[in-house]
């Protein structure tokens, strides 16, 4: 089993490859600084410029949020939760950080396997 | 295995029982009308006036979002994701509705089992 | 959300209804006595005389093993893990009991919701 | 997030390191040949010569079974399912293969992250 690591699609020429990579890529969106002991919102999104199908035999089944080697949360979706149409899967997790975090997200496509985002460092004050 | 159904705590006398019921109760928060084929945010929260512990041997391990008998999404959390302190677990799911929905949420506490919210009906136009 | 409780199909007349109920029913198979602190095998099976489809838009997505109100283990399967053909989903969990257990299993069908087995009591010596 | 790949512990000198690596390693145990369209048992085990703790703040939370890049099944366990004592987590998945498989298992420890087994190739006839 391999994990596909994030690639910046601006460096990719072929449109089909841009689309393939972007629509599977997981992204972590959050503030860069969190307050210790306070609830902190972290959005995990799949795809940025391109959308992934939500077909019964081809969909994003889950995303996971990691802090370093620790898995904080996982969200599973059924095929059809995104209306059986191309979409950017999104979920907002609320966590309570205690110290500096290095967040990554993974996304699992039922046809094209596991994809990992770039890391996002969050300072906790 | 039983599911604890939502109870309105304003009708409950004893403070400890109010707290016990409220902090385990799942709530669905969303608009009452959605647009067909457009992304729609649904917040699932555990507890309203009272907070649940996030201890290693006692925490909310997952919440599920249901539309009638269909499970749309599940979010798992590890103990510690809420900072090992009492909190109201929250997660925002984004779904794309196609027709009228009857949403409920369930929450699972590792000590006190499964809890189900009241249903929220969402018209889809 | 409702849980369909186990029904003995021998009391049901219509063949289609027998099939519908049986193929969704979860069963717990294990010894009736376990040794305290020793690994103990518990098989969860879905369906007994009838098999459930394993189609992309209609399959058994997960089974859970419960001891009273405590969820011990969950197994998720993807559509296709059973060859996209009708089958009795099976999984063997190994647990280590400490005291008397009351085991139930639940099964989730992506079209027909949640089903719960009869309880199986296991003495632990 | 990194995946710890299997290492043969016979090549490792220090006892503590042998123990650390072995008790986290996932293993796939199954026949080397399967019959097409027939149920096939695959045991996933964590640890071989050494056992992993099952403490509330340190346990194996899930194992996954992969065929190449496709995740076939996942089993989640709660802390305490193995009696809060050191054990080799075990689960038997039953799948129905259609063609040659390359199986791997991953195991997730709540303190030490994700571990991946060696691949096991299964011919399907």
């Amino acid at each position: 089993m391999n994990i596909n690591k994030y690639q910046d699609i601006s460096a990719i020429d072929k449109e089909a490859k841009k689309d393939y990579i972007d629509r599977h890529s997981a992204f972590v969106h959050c503030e860069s600084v969190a307050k210790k002991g306070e609830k902190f919102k972290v959005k995990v999104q799949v795809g940025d410029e391109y959308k992934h199908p939500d077909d019964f035999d081809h969909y994003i089944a889950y995303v996971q949020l990691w802090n370093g080697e620790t898995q904080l949360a996982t969200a599973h979706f059924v095929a059809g939760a995104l209306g059986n149409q191309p979409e950017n899967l999104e979920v907002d997790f609320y966590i309570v950080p205690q110290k500096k975090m290095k967040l990554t997200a993974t996304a699992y496509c039922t046809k094209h396997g596991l994809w990992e985002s770039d890391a996002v460092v969050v300072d906790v004050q």
Side-chain angles (χ1 to χ4, degrees), chain A:
Chain A
M1 190 264 294
N2 292 307
I3 301 189
N4 301 285
K5 299 278 181 179
Y6 178 70
Q7 295 177 48
D8 181 349
I9 62 164
S10 67
I12 295 169
D13 280 339
K14 290 191 186 163
E15 176 63 17
K17 198 173 175 194
K18 264 186 207 278
D19 184 345
Y20 176 76
I21 290 174
D22 183 273
R23 73 173 182 263
H24 285 106
S25 292
F27 297 88
V28 173
H29 297 296
C30 63
E31 300 292 323
S32 57
V33 180
K35 283 192 183 154
K36 185 178 170 175
E38 292 194 10
K39 222 183 257 183
F40 181 71
K41 176 177 168 176
V42 181
K43 184 182 288 294
V44 174
Q45 184 173 320
V46 181
D48 176 25
E49 300 176 26
Y50 297 85
K51 297 180 176 190
H52 191 281
D54 178 36
D55 297 334
F56 286 110
D57 63 346
H58 185 200
Y59 65 104
I60 303 296
Y62 64 82
V63 293
Q64 297 186 312
L65 178 63
W66 297 78
N67 178 18
E69 305 310 303
T70 303
Q71 185 196 302
L72 296 177
T74 301
H76 291 261
F77 292 82
V78 298
L82 295 176
N84 289 131
Q85 67 189 31
E87 268 301 348
N88 294 113
L89 183 146
E90 256 180 278
V91 60
D92 301 334
F93 296 114
Y94 295 81
I95 60 177
V96 178
Q98 300 297 325
K99 55 184 180 184
K100 194 172 179 171
M101 301 186 293
K102 189 182 166 189
L103 300 176
T104 53
T106 52
Y108 176 70
C109 164
T110 58
K111 268 202 178 154
H112 302 107
L114 202 57
W115 297 71
E116 185 182 5
S117 75
D118 271 355
V120 171
V121 173
V122 178
D123 270 318
V124 177
Q125 295 173 347

